Amino acid sequence: MHDLDNILIELSFIFLQFLLFVANYQIMKKKIMHPAVLFSLIWFSILLLHFIFKLTLLSELFPLSVSTFLVFFFGTLAFSLGGFIQTVIWQKQNSQTILVDSKNNDINQLLRIVLLSIIVIGLPFYIRAAYRVFLASNIDNFFIGLRTELSYGDEDIGVVKYLTSFSFIVFAINLFAYFKHKNTINRILLTVSLLLAFTYALFVTGRTLIFLLLCIYVGISYVLNNGVSIKKIGLLTGFFILFFISIGIMYGKGGDTENSLKENIRPAAEMTAIYLVSPLNAFEWETHHQLQINYEGNNSLRFFMKIGEQLHVVPNLKVDELVQPFVFVPYLTNVYTVYSPYIKDFGKLYAWLMIALFGFLHTWLYNKAVSTKNIRYTLYYSFLLFPLLISFFMDFYLTITSLWLQIIFFTEIFLKINQLLVRRKRDNIIVISQ
């Protein structure tokens, strides 16, 4: 009887999440890539998968309580509300049709070649630094040793680590340029930049960063092609899952390279299922067993606290580690969904307010991108698809503020230099024509 009650509760909240998705889909004029639609779809899908996996691959998975389901439900509602408020404001301020902002979409080809050359030249230095970190781990397998040392050791890859975010920017810029003009040189630059960005992400040993490449492609493709088909999203998602499993086996997670394909199928499938749904249970375990709201902000605002600590502005402040401790639910996991750092800092209301703020920001960027096709807003919309689509896993908003600042810095520097070069080229053309 108790199991039946749990099933009915879970199905009820799955249905409520589905209703939120349908409502967002209708309100946002059936735009599947609208942030509010995507967020509600992701959380409906994850809750549904949690229910399915509990009956199949992960039969021992702990049930979720009503209080946990309510956090997820009101979180989706908050994100949707933020998106709705921004949409209403946008419609009032932009009642007339906005023309495509093509004047800011020209990209200097030589500049793109220079940027690509930087990450090509930097790659050997990056690999050498990664190998040095691997040696410190004293583990035979390169990627397992590198991952272990980067996550739990004292070694750091050094200043070359900024080449990772830089390579993602270069890939995004070349993808944008390719969609604007599908010629041979743009195709070559795009292919090389994709391979390089993928290589850098591979050496970071975090599979989630590789997902960022997929988000960039889907976002830019959607904006510049005026839509993206469900079939294409399905194929890309399927490809990523297969790739995710393969990389996991290479990293020694969910399989073994020495085993046959048949022997790896079951553990790889279970590990993928654990990645997808165990964060929900980890979040519940955290809120019921070790939640102590500190009202200091050293989880969600850890970047700013760390800066303050290093500058001795806020001495004696302990900033929590980004890599969280493992818990058994009863499957081993150390990720706690997007809500964890915010609730640990200032409680549930703060978490919902921040989620609503993210919904507002996402929707503003979405509206700017699809209406103007401007490169700046298109890039930022595409990048922010990453923390949105992976919100069920962990927080990639404020807890990785450093990465977002790198992305903003590199993007704005590029746009400024590109603007100067494009303007100079136009002025030269005008002079010649006269």
Side-chain angles (χ1 to χ4, degrees), residues 263-290:
E263 291 172 323
N264 277 322
I265 288 177
R266 177 72 185 188
E270 287 183 355
M271 183 58 67
T272 302
I274 290 171
Y275 264 94
L276 287 171
V277 303
S278 66
L280 279 61
N281 290 85
F283 170 77
E284 163 139 324
W285 188 94
E286 181 181 60
T287 54
H288 284 74
H289 292 85
Q290 62 177 30

Side-chain angles (χ1 to χ4, degrees), residues 44-311:
F44 159 68
S45 301
I46 291 299
L47 287 179
L48 181 60
L49 286 174
H50 185 277
F51 178 77
I52 294 172
F53 289 152
K54 193 175 183 302
L55 299 177
T56 54
L57 289 171
L58 309 177
S59 58
E60 297 180 9
L61 198 64
F62 295 152
L64 299 175
S65 66
V66 172
S67 61
T68 297
F69 280 120
L70 285 173
V71 170
F72 300 153
F73 174 74
F74 284 116
T76 305
L77 195 62
F79 192 99
S80 304
L81 183 61
F84 178 74
I85 291 172
Q86 209 296 312
T87 299
V88 172
I89 294 173
W90 177 266
Q91 289 174 346
K92 287 183 177 180
Q93 294 178 343
N94 303 274
S95 55
Q96 312 232 342
T97 303
I98 298 177
L99 298 176
V100 173
D101 187 10
S102 59
K103 66 179 181 179
N104 292 320
N105 287 340
D106 293 336
I107 305 177
N108 185 275
Q109 189 178 99
L110 179 59
L111 176 59
R112 288 190 289 129
I113 293 173
V114 170
L115 296 180
L116 198 58
S117 300
I118 292 173
I119 56 176
V120 169
I121 294 170
L123 185 59
F125 297 97
Y126 191 94
I127 294 175
R128 186 177 66 177
Y131 188 73
R132 174 181 53 79
V133 172
F134 156 69
L135 291 177
S137 69
N138 294 315
I139 296 176
D140 292 336
N141 185 291
F142 174 77
F143 284 107
I144 294 176
L146 180 61
R147 179 180 177 83
T148 301
E149 193 63 30
L150 288 177
S151 299
Y152 309 106
D154 297 325
E155 292 291 327
D156 185 82
I157 207 164
V159 70
V160 291
K161 63 186 175 185
Y162 298 113
L163 286 170
T164 302
S165 55
F166 186 66
S167 69
F168 278 67
I169 298 291
V170 175
F171 165 66
I173 292 167
N174 280 300
L175 181 63
F176 187 94
Y178 173 73
F179 278 126
K180 295 298 292 183
H181 303 288
K182 295 183 179 180
N183 53 38
T184 302
I185 183 64
N186 283 345
R187 185 177 292 108
I188 293 173
L189 291 175
L190 172 61
T191 302
V192 175
S193 62
L194 172 60
L195 291 174
L196 286 166
F198 172 78
T199 303
Y200 277 101
L202 198 63
F203 278 96
V204 174
T205 70
R207 287 176 286 177
T208 49
L209 266 187
I210 297 173
F211 184 61
L212 177 53
L213 290 173
L214 180 63
C215 293
I216 292 170
Y217 174 81
V218 171
I220 295 177
S221 175
Y222 172 78
V223 172
L224 296 187
N225 291 338
N226 297 313
V228 60
S229 67
I230 299 295
K231 180 181 178 181
K232 179 180 284 189
I233 292 177
L235 288 173
L236 288 171
T237 303
F239 171 78
F240 176 76
I241 290 174
L242 290 174
F243 181 77
F244 184 87
I245 292 173
S246 302
I247 296 297
I249 293 173
M250 187 174 70
Y251 289 160
K253 305 191 73 174
D256 194 320
T257 53
E258 296 182 0
N259 293 339
S260 66
L261 177 62
K262 185 178 181 180
E263 291 172 323
N264 277 322
I265 288 177
R266 177 72 185 188
E270 287 183 355
M271 183 58 67
T272 302
I274 290 171
Y275 264 94
L276 287 171
V277 303
S278 66
L280 279 61
N281 290 85
F283 170 77
E284 163 139 324
W285 188 94
E286 181 181 60
T287 54
H288 284 74
H289 292 85
Q290 62 177 30
L291 179 63
Q292 293 181 344
I293 302 175
N294 55 38
Y295 299 100
E296 293 179 348
N298 57 0
N299 293 286
S300 60
L301 304 176
R302 65 185 306 277
F303 173 79
F304 305 102
M305 296 297 178
K306 209 164 186 178
I307 294 296
E309 182 184 30
Q310 292 174 352
L311 296 176

